[in-house]
Amino acid sequence: VEATIESGVGNVDSPDPLIGISITSDSKNFSNERTVSMGKVGEYTKRQIWHKFGRQPRFVAFRITVSDPVKFVLIALTASIV
């Protein structure tokens, strides 16, 4: 799963903010959150990719959270289904 976001949004108060993702198939019980960096100040080429979600049912929902109060722009969320 890859989130295309505006990267490099860190600031003085939050130098390396994190973005987290968790999944659910019943909209009530979410998996443990997995986090990656959103990019430090000026790190505009940082990619947010999560690997190995294992076997999932056909329909799942994703919950995206941001660790700090920084600018968050989600452009796309893509998944490679094998």
Side-chain angles (χ1 to χ4, degrees):
V1 175
E2 180 174 2
T4 304
I5 66 168
E6 184 176 337
S7 298
V9 295
N11 56 38
V12 175
D13 297 327
S14 305
D16 192 12
L18 301 174
I19 181 172
I21 192 168
S22 54
I23 58 174
T24 182
S25 59
D26 62 6
S27 299
K28 294 179 181 149
N29 301 309
F30 283 85
S31 66
N32 291 334
E33 184 176 65
R34 298 166 62 184
T35 59
V36 295
S37 173
M38 290 179 69
K40 298 176 183 175
V41 177
E43 195 175 13
Y44 302 116
T45 59
K46 182 79 174 168
R47 294 175 67 191
Q48 292 70 36
I49 301 174
W50 295 270
H51 295 283
K52 299 184 180 178
F53 276 102
R55 184 171 217 132
Q56 298 297 324
R58 185 172 177 167
F59 297 103
V60 294
F62 294 93
R63 177 173 59 189
I64 296 175
T65 57
V66 178
S67 65
D68 298 298
V70 295
K71 182 179 179 183
F72 176 67
V73 178
L74 178 66
I75 299 165
L77 185 68
T78 56
S80 176
I81 313 287
V82 180

